[in-house]
Every structure is written in C-alpha cells, then in structure tokens.
Amino acid sequence: MRRWIWIGLVALSLGLTLFGLLRPRAEQGLAVNVARAERGEFVREVRATGTVEARVYTLTFPRPGRVAEVRVKEGQTVQVGQVLAVLETTNEQAQLRSVREALRALQARAQAAEADYQSNRTRLQNQLLEVRRNLRIARELLRVGGVARGEVERLERQVADLEAQLASLNQARTSTQRDLQAQLQARQTELSALERSIAQSSLRAPVNGTVSSVGYLVGVETTAQSAGAALGAPSIRLVEAGSLRVQARLSEADVPWVRPGQPVRLELDAAPGQPLVGKVDRLGVQAEVAGTGGSAVLPVFIRFLDQKAESLARPGLTATARITTLRLPSALKVPLETLVEAGGQTYLWVVDSATRTVRKQPVTVLARNLTQAAVEGIPDQSIVVSLPPEALKEGARVSYRLSGPEARP
C-alpha cells in the first residue's frame, strides 16, 4: 500500500512540472533599470580645494631684555592694545627715578638763579635811577656854580659803574641759563629714552585677534627686534580677527559659474564632519597651470562667516570648498544617467506604468550638477529608464523593479 502512495506522489510531481513547462507564458519585456522623477530643491555646486590663510602678525620686543611675564596663551582671544608679555624693568625704573630727581633739582636751580637775577637787577636798576637823578641835579647846579665839578665827575663814574654791573649781570644770567638749559636738555633726553625703553618692555596686540603661538618663556633673555625677526627666534604670533579666509584653486571649466557673494560650505581636513559657512569674497586676476601640462586654475578667495572658524581654522590647513552656484527651490530632478542626447536634442525614455511600455520624451534641461539634472517636459513622479539599452525602441514593452509601494515585476 505504501508503495502505491509513493508512486502516486512521483507521478503528481512530474505532471505539475510538465504543466509549468508547457503552459503559455506572458511576455516579460526587456529588463531595464528605472528611476522616478521627483520634485524638490535642486542645488548645483562647484568643488575646489585650497589652503586657509589669514593676516598674521609676528610680534617681537623692539629691545633686548629678560622676560618678566607672559600674559597670554595659545588660542586666547585678545583685544587691540592688550599687553601680551612684559620685560623686566627694575634697573630702568631705578634710573628713571634718579633722572627725575636730577631733573627736578636742575629745575629748582634754574628757578633760584632766575629769582636771584631778578632781585639783583631790580636793585641795580633802582640805584642807577637814583644816581642818574642826582647827576642831572648836579649838572644843573654846576652851571650856576652851586656844586664842584668833582662831584659831577664822581656821579658820572657811579652811573658808568652801575651800568657795567647791569651788563655783567645780564651776561652772567645768559651764561647760567645756557648751562642749565644744556643740563636740563640732557636729563630730558635721558628721561625720554628711559620712558621709551620702559614702554617698549610691554608687548601689545596691534589688532583684535587670536594668539596662534607663544614663543617667549619667563626668565629667558630675548634679543632686539632686528634679531628677533630671524627664523626660529622667539615671538608671539597673532591672527587678526575676521581675516581668516581660504584661497582655493578653481578649475577653469568652473570659473564661469562662480561669482562673489555666493554661499560656500567649507570643511577642513583637520576637522572632518564639522562644516563651516562662508561666501565667495573675490576671484583672482591671474590664472596658473596646475602641474606640468595640467589645465589652468584660478584662485578664488573665500571668507569665513561662521564664528566657529576662529577656533577650528588655522593658517596653512587644507580645506575643501563647495560653492553653491545655483539653487532652484522647486525643480523636477532626474539622475544624469537617464538623459539621452541625440541630434542636438535631449530626451528621456518614460515608462507607462499601466502598459509597461516606453516612449521617447523630449525635455528641456534647466541645469545639471554632478548627479542630477533639473528638467522640464515630463509630469512629476514619472518613471524614466536609467542607462537605456541600445535595443530599446519606441513602444517597447519593459520589465523593471521600482522600490516602494508601486514596485512592478
């Protein structure tokens, strides 16, 4: 009995197999890949790579000395005029006090000498006035015989003597003034030099910015500015606030699309996944060849707009810039591989989802980016053939698989 059951099962299996092989098959059509035309924002970008640059100040002390204080550290934000580092000024301060005391003493001497001169001059002038008055009276009396000639001569000698004393007094005053003035000038020059040296002991920020490096150490002797500018010499480097930018190399094929003011997305190789916002500042005026026998590139200067750039970007870092040259808020988008160009015309193979047949539909291409095209000439949500095979003909039946609820065999 069991044997007949097995024979029956085998016969049923063979029958079903023969039925499947011999029954009429529906036409499957040419297998193709498809995509859906979707409406949304279309963005065209130009990509360029470049280097971060900025206006950097290399600050050094204009005079030699021992570093007393370093008041900033790398990455610190500073304001214009802020003290960054200070040299020791103990000796200069002591000399400054001494010179100021000497200057005050000289000024006191000058005032005393002038007061003494004024007093002596007033005394002599009063005496001279009195003697001249007496001489005038004596001469009148001499004409009438009221006084001896000897008295007149004596008064005349007194007048001459007083006049000589006044002249000598004025000459002595001039000499004293000249000597004191020279000493005062010397002390004033010494005072100015000390004050300038003390002022130069403070290294100040010339602009608002961020400290990029600090090369001074407390207690270490430093040289003057001429030597400090040498390679490797200590200094404080300051990046001016707002001066950070990227100088990128733009392919000559992309130059017609780029304009000042266009938005840019920037990404630093040193800070992946942290995009920054910028804008095109200007294009260069001189193109250059990229490598031996390469195509020309044009510098494009991009200004950072993102506040985070001050903490992330550093001069010399490599950056990738994606410049938005066109933005269409609502455009019908299709993949580039769906476009077919022939006879100076662009068209798409559009699939009729009801009959699974295709038709060639001319379209107008509004713009292209690296992966998509914005087109006009077909309805939204149209199904179009991707990478159409050469065997595809007008009205041909196709089979395809479309992801989503409307997938067809």
Side-chain angles (χ1 to χ4, degrees), residues 59-79:
L59 308 175
T60 59
F61 287 104
R63 73 172 185 87
R66 185 185 299 274
V67 179
E69 294 180 72
V70 176
R71 299 184 181 179
V72 293
K73 59 184 178 180
E74 185 175 340
Q76 181 175 338
T77 300
V78 297
Q79 303 298 316

Side-chain angles (χ1 to χ4, degrees), residues 52 267-274 312-314 316-320:
V52 178
E267 186 165 327
L268 304 171
D269 289 1
Q274 301 184 63
L312 294 176
R314 295 288 185 274
L317 293 181
T318 302
T320 300

Side-chain angles (χ1 to χ4, degrees), residues 56 73-76 210-214 236-239 314-315:
V56 180
K73 59 184 178 180
E74 185 175 340
Q76 181 175 338
T210 303
V211 177
S212 63
S213 66
V214 178
I236 292 179
R237 291 171 64 83
L238 181 65
V239 178
R314 295 288 185 274

Side-chain angles (χ1 to χ4, degrees), residues 349-364:
W349 286 102
V350 180
V351 179
D352 185 332
S353 59
T355 63
R356 292 185 291 172
T357 58
V358 295
R359 59 183 174 85
K360 186 186 294 186
Q361 177 64 44
V363 293
T364 300

Side-chain angles (χ1 to χ4, degrees), residues 210-388:
T210 303
V211 177
S212 63
S213 66
V214 178
Y216 289 114
L217 296 175
V218 174
V220 176
E221 291 283 345
T222 182
T223 55
Q225 184 178 19
S226 58
L231 182 63
S235 66
I236 292 179
R237 291 171 64 83
L238 181 65
V239 178
E240 183 177 357
S243 70
L244 279 172
R245 68 180 185 181
V246 172
Q247 179 178 341
R249 294 170 292 279
L250 189 64
S251 170
E252 59 182 324
D254 295 328
V255 170
W257 309 111
V258 178
R259 297 286 184 273
Q262 289 175 335
V264 184
R265 289 189 301 117
L266 295 153
E267 186 165 327
L268 304 171
D269 289 1
Q274 301 184 63
L276 300 171
V277 179
K279 72 172 183 177
V280 176
D281 190 22
R282 64 181 179 88
L283 277 72
V285 296
Q286 178 68 46
E288 52 191 45
V289 176
T292 305
S295 60
V297 294
L298 186 72
V300 57
F301 299 94
I302 300 166
R303 183 74 61 185
F304 285 101
L305 299 179
D306 205 315
Q307 294 295 328
K308 294 187 298 182
E310 296 290 339
S311 59
L312 294 176
R314 295 288 185 274
L317 293 181
T318 302
T320 300
R322 292 177 174 83
I323 305 170
T324 300
T325 60
L326 178 66
R327 187 183 298 276
L328 301 176
S330 178
L332 192 59
K333 301 178 291 182
V334 297
L336 288 180
E337 57 268 22
T338 63
L339 298 177
V340 179
E341 296 182 354
Q345 190 175 35
T346 303
Y347 60 89
L348 296 168
W349 286 102
V350 180
V351 179
D352 185 332
S353 59
T355 63
R356 292 185 291 172
T357 58
V358 295
R359 59 183 174 85
K360 186 186 294 186
Q361 177 64 44
V363 293
T364 300
V365 178
L366 302 177
R368 305 173 193 242
N369 58 25
L370 294 177
T371 60
Q372 295 178 315
V375 299
E376 290 180 341
I378 60 173
D380 291 10
Q381 299 297 311
S382 294
I383 300 173
V384 294
V385 178
S386 178
L387 296 172

Side-chain angles (χ1 to χ4, degrees), residues 13 16 46 52-53 60 106 124 128 130 147 164 173-174 178 198 206 260 288 290 346 367 390 400:
S13 176
L16 291 174
V46 168
V52 178
E53 58 184 23
T60 59
L106 283 172
L124 290 173
L128 183 59
E130 180 66 19
V147 67
R173 181 211 184 195
T174 301
R178 186 185 301 114
I198 292 172
E288 52 191 45
T346 303
E390 294 183 4
Y400 60 90

